[in-house]
Amino acid sequence: MQKKKIAVLFGGCSSEHEVSRVSAYSVIRNLPKEKYDIVRIGITRDGRWYLYNGPDDKIPGGEWERSEEKMPAFLCPDRSVGGIVANAPDGFRTVPVDCVFPVLHGRNGEDGTVQGLLELSGLPFVGCGTLASAVCMDKAITHSQLANAGIPSAKYLWFYSSKYTSEGAKKIKVKVNARLGYPVFVKPANSGSSVGISKVLREEELDAAVARAAAESDKILVEEAVAGQEVECAVLGNLDPKAAGAVGEIVASAEFYDYDDKYKSGKSKLNIPARLDEAVAAEIRSIAERAFRMLGCRGFARVDFFVRNGREILLNELNTIPGFTPISMYPKLWEASGVSYGELLDRLVRLAFDDGAKNFKK
Ligand SMILES: Nc1ncnc2c1ncn2[C@@H]1O[C@H](COP(=O)(O)OP(=O)(O)O)[C@@H](O)[C@H]1O
Ligand SMILES: [Mg+2]
């Protein structure tokens, strides 16, 4: 059988650029080589696209950007091209691919933008389409969709940062007090990796937290702080998604699971399985599958929850391109269910080819 060509997209204009490089490096190394050839497309932090042909070990640290072994390239929306257009020294050339795996986290990659381009291109691609990606990226929209479906989440309110003037802030503070009470979490509505997120213990700290969030997004979310466990569920599939048998638990080493704790300090712990009654874990799996279906997700998503008092389940967020290093929660949960990292990647690519509903729409 002829090998399929998979374009792996990495980097991106996002606060999670570095994380994406590390995820993509392990995806590239572990995609089964007997079935797939890989085309590497790196996107710089300022949004330049390149076809990269150098060694893979220059990807995670970002050295690939200084390599000579690259040429400007872009994914072409023109369906007759069926892949990449590269600007080689001897002129433009097309590089057809069979499938695209966007290993991009956060804005301009996980938020529906790249997915829109992929839908236009008509190419099969791994993961959610434009709408589900965009809905899951915006935490305020996710909350309202969950509420419509009767899926519990933390109490919240949101506002545009431009409303947080001296007069506006007073009104917002009244609402925060009346509807949520302190402590609260203040977040940019559409960032990831905890960037711009603060835990606010009292009203005097709110202004600074809003300013931090506003640096990331013009839409600000305030949520009641949920005291309890933080657990994550790995969902895989298209129209009939299945959650991995084990639910995972994060035990943060910091005040909350912030950027350093996620990627730098190495001190946070993962418990697989989570310390939960099996009935609660089963309910979490069932809610995760329901949310995945209801929001129109495809391929994969990591669905994150809080559990209060060991039993009250609140959905926190869906990550439509979850962290994907071998030590990341998503692949680890599948491994605990007997699906190896390489097999998981193969299933994701096969799901992309199977997903007729997402692609080739006329
Ligand atoms: N309402 C909340 N209650 C308690 N902890 C929270 C709440 N919201 C966020 N956190 C903490 O902040 C971390 C990051 O928030 P999250 O909403 O998951 O954003 P991100 O998309 O950046 O991962 C969570 O993993 C959790 O530790
Ligand atoms: Mg999160």
Side-chain angles (χ1 to χ4, degrees), residues 178-198:
R179 294 197 209 157
L180 312 176
Y182 289 86
V184 291
F185 272 81
V186 176
K187 316 180 183 184
N190 59 357
S191 170
S193 288
S194 302
V195 178
I197 297 187
S198 321

Side-chain angles (χ1 to χ4, degrees), residues 307-327:
V307 180
R308 205 155 32 194
N309 301 320
R311 63 192 136 73
E312 189 194 354
I313 301 165
L314 301 169
L315 200 156
N316 175 32
E317 60 163 345
L318 294 95
N319 295 280
T320 53
I321 307 183
F324 225 92
T325 70
I327 60 160

Side-chain angles (χ1 to χ4, degrees), residues 139 193-194 230 232 257 262 302 304 316-317 319:
K139 294 176 160 76
S193 288
S194 302
E230 212 176 326
E232 306 190 336
Y257 196 36
K262 280 179 181 171
R302 198 191 71 226
D304 297 351
N316 175 32
E317 60 163 345
N319 295 280

Side-chain angles (χ1 to χ4, degrees), residues 9-28:
L9 311 185
F10 63 89
C13 278
S14 156
S15 53
E16 293 168 272
H17 177 98
E18 281 92 359
V19 187
S20 152
R21 287 192 316 233
V22 178
S23 288
Y25 177 57
S26 40
V27 167
I28 289 169

Side-chain angles (χ1 to χ4, degrees), residues 10-183:
F10 63 89
C13 278
S14 156
S15 53
E16 293 168 272
H17 177 98
E18 281 92 359
V19 187
S20 152
R21 287 192 316 233
V22 178
S23 288
Y25 177 57
S26 40
V27 167
I28 289 169
R29 281 165 52 111
N30 289 287
L31 268 167
K33 297 290 173 302
E34 65 286 2
K35 291 178 79 172
Y36 304 115
D37 283 326
I38 295 164
V39 176
R40 295 151 186 80
I41 303 290
I43 306 169
T44 64
R45 217 180 257 96
D46 53 358
R48 284 169 296 133
W49 290 50
Y50 293 100
L51 174 63
Y52 172 62
N53 289 317
D56 291 333
D57 59 10
K58 290 190 174 175
I59 292 174
E63 297 87 1
W64 75 273
E65 282 193 34
R66 291 183 294 282
S67 157
E68 298 286 303
E69 295 167 277
K70 68 179 193 310
M71 56 184 110
F74 55 88
L75 223 157
C76 190
D78 183 327
R79 292 187 181 194
S80 68
V81 170
I84 313 291
V85 174
N87 192 359
D90 54 349
F92 283 99
R93 79 163 77 123
T94 60
V95 181
V97 300
D98 298 300
C99 178
V100 180
F101 194 154
V103 189
L104 301 167
H105 302 310
R107 217 167 289 154
N108 301 309
E110 189 179 350
D111 60 353
T113 49
V114 165
Q115 288 71 21
L117 177 59
L118 288 165
E119 281 173 17
L120 288 175
S121 77
L123 291 165
F125 63 95
V126 171
C128 297
T130 311
L131 180 64
S133 302
V135 166
C136 294
M137 190 71 201
D138 185 310
K139 294 176 160 76
I141 306 272
T142 308
H143 266 298
S144 67
Q145 290 299 302
L146 294 174
N148 278 342
I151 295 175
S153 61
K155 283 188 282 186
Y156 75 104
L157 56 86
W158 71 269
F159 54 89
Y160 287 113
S161 58
S162 58
K163 292 279 180 199
Y164 202 80
T165 55
S166 52
E167 267 317 293
K170 279 185 204 152
K171 289 185 194 152
I172 288 166
K173 284 172 184 169
V174 169
K175 284 187 190 156
V176 171
N177 268 309
R179 294 197 209 157
L180 312 176
Y182 289 86

